[in-house]
């Protein structure tokens, strides 16, 4: 009933930028905290960023602080991940996820719904 669809991934050179979007349908969007995760080949899925239901609180992984920014537009049922100063180490499949919670969870087990992922590849 709840669908999340990521878009905006692609190939970019190191130092470049990408903006990922996640469109949510099926439920009241502003009841969800939203998170971003990524998984590189051969590695575990890791937390990237999260934003609470009202868009007033954000959490970031140390590896992306100062480079990535997450935001949301509840009138459009969409969450964004602005990715600047990209590094080859950022190459991964990026997933957005939704959690029915008041807070800002960072663990994958806290999220109830997941998108299909979008590939981000950063070349050297």
């Amino acid at each position: 009933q709840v669908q999340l669809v990521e878009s905006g991934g692609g190939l970019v050179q190191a130092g470049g930028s990408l903006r990922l979007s996640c469109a949510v349908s099926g439920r009241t969007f502003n009841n969800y905290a939203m998170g971003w995760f990524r998984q590189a080949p051969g590695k575990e899925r890791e937390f990237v960023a999260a934003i609470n239901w009202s868009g007033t609180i954000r959490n970031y992984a140390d590896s992306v602080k100062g480079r990535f920014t997450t935001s949301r537009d509840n009138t459009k049922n969409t969450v964004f991940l602005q990715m600047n100063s990209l590094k080859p180490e950022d190459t991964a499949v990026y997933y957005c996820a939704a959690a029915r919670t008041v807070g800002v969870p960072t663990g994958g087990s806290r999220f109830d719904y997941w998108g299909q992922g979008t590939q981000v590849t950063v070349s050297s």
Side-chain angles (χ1 to χ4, degrees), residues 3-42:
Q3 293 184 320
L4 286 69
V5 180
E6 301 98 333
S7 62
L11 175 65
V12 65
Q13 293 182 342
S17 298
L18 285 174
R19 184 175 183 249
L20 305 184
S21 298
C22 177
V24 182
S25 63
R27 298 294 182 190
T28 302
F29 181 65
N30 64 7
N31 286 341
Y32 293 91
M34 299 296 300
W36 291 95
F37 295 78
R38 66 187 182 186
Q39 186 168 25

Side-chain angles (χ1 to χ4, degrees), residues 1 8 13 22 30 39 43 56 59 61 76 81 86 91 109:
Q1 289 190 254
Q13 293 182 342
C22 177
N30 64 7
Q39 186 168 25
K43 295 185 177 181
T56 58
N59 283 329
K76 299 179 180 178
L81 184 67
L86 283 162
T91 296
S109 63

Side-chain angles (χ1 to χ4, degrees), residues 83-101:
M83 309 165 66
N84 298 326
S85 301
L86 283 162
K87 305 174 181 179
E89 306 93 88
D90 297 317
T91 296
V93 176
Y94 283 71
Y95 300 88
C96 74
R100 297 185 68 87
T101 180

Side-chain angles (χ1 to χ4, degrees), residues 30-72:
N30 64 7
N31 286 341
Y32 293 91
M34 299 296 300
W36 291 95
F37 295 78
R38 66 187 182 186
Q39 186 168 25
K43 295 185 177 181
E44 298 292 326
R45 182 181 295 170
E46 64 177 346
F47 167 76
V48 175
I51 185 168
N52 73 333
W53 70 272
S54 64
T56 58
I57 305 173
R58 299 167 173 84
N59 283 329
Y60 297 97
D62 288 342
S63 60
V64 306
K65 284 181 179 178
R67 299 188 298 121
F68 291 9
T69 303
T70 188
S71 60
R72 65 192 297 162

Side-chain angles (χ1 to χ4, degrees), residues 110-122:
R110 296 286 306 279
F111 289 83
D112 303 297
Y113 305 99
W114 294 80
Q116 82 289 344
T118 185
Q119 177 70 47
V120 172
T121 302
V122 184

